[in-house]
Amino acid sequence: MTPDSATQPPGKAPFTTRQWLIIALLCGAQFMLALDFSILSVALPVLGEDLGFKLSDLQWVVTAFALPSGGLLLLFGRAADLYGRRNWFVAGMVLFAVASLAGGLATTPGFLLAARAAQGVAAAMLTPAAMSLLTTNFSEGSQRDRALGINGALLSLGFLSGVVLGGVITDLTSWRVTLFISVPVGIVAAIAAPILIKESRNEETPKLDLLGAVTVTGGLISVIFGITSAERNGWSATTTLVSLAAGLVLLVAFFAVESRVTAPLVDLKVLRRRTVSWGNATGLITFAMMTGMVFLLTLYMQQVRGMSPLNAGFTFASLGVAAVLGGAFAARIIGAIGVHRALVYGLLLQAVSTAALYFLDTTGGMPLLLIATATGGFGHLLAVVGYMITATSGLPDSEQGLATGLAYTGQQLGVTVGTPVLATVAAAGIDSAGGSGPAAVLEGVQGGLLLAAGALLVAGIVAIAFLRPGRTTAEAPAATDRQVPAEAR
């Protein structure tokens, strides 16, 4: 399937009851992971005081999750392909439930960080397994497009619900409850998966590329650590520079290894496909700029407008609702205009909406904030579904774990990169404005929003230039030796 071949009406292949249950299971798992990623961040001040964290060390609660969840995605995506996607999903779900329970019972900072790291490992197991099970259980075309649209909507809803629910739950009960809520969900999912889903793995299981696994995992973890360190230590700090340099060296070594081994962890032929490489590049940018925009607007609402964290969280409700609508209607839009146009229009709509937020001021502008974040959220979800379809289309089932692992690696890098980069720009703007008052903070926020809008515009141009249907169709013959379904060629 080429990126613009999804013109089949969405209702032509309705879901069976079993397929709806599979969607509820797999997309519900993704919702839980997104919720857990954001829900604890709102509770950090209370959590830190309860367990005795130093203020400067609170970021490790987020970083401990982000390092393994981003660094292990490619390895675990390939492992799911080789050793059984359903078994990998169940194992990841059990580990996540146990780690969530342990985190909720933590009494020391070290215990909580260990639990968060275990959650990150489980998330790296679950994400590519769930997505590859989703793509292999729904035929390429309108059915898969609808499933990915629902998944994208729930991902966004999970992330944004966490921002709101984290404050509510912490205020009404305890920060520990934000971790406990994942335990029953994990247990139910682990029991339901073997009942609903057939096992799926490659028929021929080659030896796992251990050297490739070590270099890519080490490289990604080093890069993610360097980026997260930059937010605290600065981009010129020794720790930041050494981590980024080490990550770059390891990733270069990884590509050298993959070009020489007989059974590579990542088939470079797959990575050279424009739909995979450029599609994931657009996905990285849309996630990075959306995450960074949420940070900038949180800064604006609390430090410029004087809103409470809870009220600021509720203000994002328009963004969440619009993002859910974007995911719900994405398949219909794609059926009408094609995947390529949906991806381009989604990126450009997000870019224009982000640029419009530049006109916020210190006293008014709430209607602008609500409308612009809503339209931006709709565009973001349209772009997310478009890039996920683009990055996983035209590949055989045996490569779906790899393809989804690559897609979510880009997503995780985007989520990691967005806030530090835009925070650095905002901080520079605040400093140049000569103070930390509302006017200076507003100037910093505006600078970050302009950079975000520019990056999204570049992503839209990249999609226009490199993901046109004619260009991607020309690559189809390269995939024929891997038994790509006829409709994918």
Side-chain angles (χ1 to χ4, degrees), residues 57 59 80 97-98 133 157 164 196 220 226 240 251 281 283 311 314 319 334 382 412 420 457:
D57 291 335
Q59 70 152 357
V98 171
L133 286 171
L157 182 61
V164 177
L196 291 173
L220 287 172
T240 303
L251 291 176
N311 287 336
F314 279 122
L319 171 61
I334 287 169
L382 191 58
Q412 187 64 49
L457 178 61

Side-chain angles (χ1 to χ4, degrees), residues 281-296:
T282 62
L284 186 154
I285 293 173
T286 187
F287 272 104
M289 296 306 105
M290 175 55 70
T291 306
M293 185 199 73
V294 169
F295 165 77
L296 292 176

Side-chain angles (χ1 to χ4, degrees), residues 460-480:
I461 294 171
V462 164
I464 293 170
F466 297 108
L467 293 173
R468 293 198 308 270
R471 279 182 174 270
T472 53
T473 302
E475 291 185 346
T480 57

Side-chain angles (χ1 to χ4, degrees), residues 199-285:
E199 184 55 283
S200 170
R201 61 162 59 89
N202 288 5
E203 293 182 2
E204 297 181 4
T205 305
K207 184 178 179 181
L208 190 64
D209 173 21
L210 292 179
L211 185 56
V214 169
T215 52
V216 74
T217 300
L220 287 172
I221 288 176
S222 295
V223 168
I224 293 171
F225 179 78
I227 292 170
T228 54
S229 295
E231 189 173 4
R232 187 175 105 177
N233 302 322
W235 290 95
S236 60
T238 301
T239 302
T240 303
L241 295 176
V242 170
S243 298
L244 292 175
L248 180 61
V249 169
L250 286 170
L251 291 176
V252 170
F254 165 71
F255 284 106
V257 168
E258 298 306 275
S259 64
R260 289 170 172 78
V261 297
T262 55
L265 180 69
V266 175
D267 186 347
L268 295 184
K269 291 180 182 177
V270 173
L271 203 57
R272 292 189 191 105
R273 291 174 63 88
R274 291 179 184 273
T275 52
V276 174
S277 57
W278 291 112
N280 284 321
T282 62
L284 186 154
I285 293 173

Side-chain angles (χ1 to χ4, degrees), residues 284-335:
L284 186 154
I285 293 173
T286 187
F287 272 104
M289 296 306 105
M290 175 55 70
T291 306
M293 185 199 73
V294 169
F295 165 77
L296 292 176
L297 292 181
T298 301
L299 196 65
Y300 167 78
M301 285 186 277
Q302 294 187 37
Q303 296 195 19
V304 177
R305 301 298 297 272
M307 298 171 66
S308 69
L310 187 59
N311 287 336
F314 279 122
T315 303
F316 284 120
S318 63
L319 171 61
V321 170
V324 170
L325 291 174
F329 287 99
R332 292 186 178 276
I333 295 171
I334 287 169

Side-chain angles (χ1 to χ4, degrees), residues 17-84:
T17 301
R18 177 175 168 273
Q19 285 179 317
W20 275 117
L21 291 174
I22 290 173
I23 285 177
L25 172 64
L26 298 177
C27 296
Q30 300 283 55
F31 172 86
M32 181 188 72
L33 293 177
L35 179 75
D36 195 84
F37 184 84
S38 62
I39 195 170
L40 202 58
S41 61
V42 181
L44 285 180
V46 177
L47 176 157
E49 184 177 349
D50 189 16
L51 295 185
F53 272 91
K54 294 180 180 178
L55 185 62
S56 59
D57 291 335
L58 275 178
Q59 70 152 357
W60 282 102
V61 178
V62 177
T63 303
F65 184 98
L67 287 175
S69 67
L72 295 170
L73 274 171
L74 284 180
L75 171 60
F76 287 168
R78 176 52 80 196
D81 281 341
L82 300 181
Y83 304 128

Side-chain angles (χ1 to χ4, degrees), residues 345-356 376 449 452-458:
Y345 294 165
L347 289 167
L348 295 181
L349 181 59
Q350 188 181 347
V352 171
S353 301
T354 303
L449 290 170
L456 289 163
L457 178 61
V458 169

